[in-house]
Amino acid sequence: FRARRITAVLDPSGLRSRALFLVLAGLEDPDSGRVVSAKPRSARQRWAGRIGAVALLGARDTLDRDLTIRQNILAPLAATGSVADWDNLVGALELTGLRTKVDARPAELALERFKATVARAIVSGAEAFLVTEPPVLPAHDIEELVGLLRAVADAGCAVVVATRHPETALRAHRVIMLANGTVSLD
């Protein structure tokens, strides 16, 4: 998967792409083969990379409903004792369109909840975004979601979207089709 590109993994079952994403995120070990990074990293960088270099985002957000959007974005950094880079935070809010909504609570928002998880991943240092089945949204919000993922890719990140829907896959730069756990089309 390449930086500045959106790759769609078309998986009719949804199960194989989930297993692939868990391996890519470093949360599971592959049964065979290996995951190769283009950037060799030291052991310390690899450990840090498991925390922030790969963002695994799903249709269900993991936001705390009692915190504001700003607090939700900064919470993972606070939990690790890290301090947010102000320019990175402002850039993430601009890219996601959340600059004017940082004091809102997640329950008050719809697409913005997904945007907040993207902003949190940017602030946490993600270089690769693994998006399991994107949230189910009205048609006008789908265009905004695709625009957001393109903006993340244009910012230099690799974006990989797992989907069951061919119409979603066709919006990517590259489409990989899985059938019974193997690549049947690339």
Side-chain angles (χ1 to χ4, degrees):
F1 303 109
R2 305 268 184 244
R4 301 189 182 283
R5 292 280 183 241
I6 298 175
T7 302
V9 177
L10 186 58
D11 178 15
S13 74
L15 299 174
R16 304 298 186 186
S17 57
R18 178 161 173 71
L20 172 65
F21 279 19
L22 290 174
V23 169
L24 292 174
L27 299 172
E28 293 282 338
D29 291 324
D31 292 335
S32 63
R34 60 193 169 109
V35 177
V36 179
S37 172
K39 295 180 189 175
R41 298 174 186 260
S42 69
R44 182 176 174 173
Q45 288 172 317
R46 276 196 304 272
W47 178 248
R50 286 186 156 221
I51 295 168
V54 178
L56 183 59
L57 308 174
R60 292 186 194 151
D61 64 66
T62 55
L63 302 177
D64 185 325
R65 304 283 189 232
D66 295 327
L67 300 178
T68 65
I69 294 296
R70 177 187 299 118
Q71 291 167 330
N72 269 289
I73 291 170
L74 297 175
L77 292 176
T80 62
S82 301
V83 177
D85 176 285
W86 182 254
D87 292 335
N88 195 17
L89 174 62
V90 170
L93 294 172
E94 287 293 326
L95 187 133
T96 58
L98 291 173
R99 189 174 52 86
T100 62
K101 298 178 181 171
V102 293
D103 294 321
R105 305 250 182 237
E108 302 165 11
L109 308 169
L111 177 59
E112 286 81 3
R113 289 194 302 267
F114 182 76
K115 289 179 176 183
T117 62
V118 171
R120 180 171 53 194
I122 292 169
V123 170
S124 296
E127 298 170 357
F129 288 73
L130 306 176
V131 182
T132 61
E133 192 67 46
V136 177
L137 300 167
H140 64 280
D141 283 346
I142 292 292
E143 292 305 319
E144 190 173 351
L145 174 67
V146 171
L148 172 62
L149 296 178
R150 286 201 185 280
V152 169
D154 290 345
C157 297
V159 178
V160 186
V161 179
T163 184
R164 297 176 181 153
H165 307 289
E167 60 277 2
T168 301
L170 290 174
R171 296 168 186 229
H173 297 105
R174 175 182 179 199
V175 178
I176 298 171
M177 181 185 242
L178 295 180
N180 297 322
T182 61
V183 174
S184 65
L185 177 72
D186 185 348

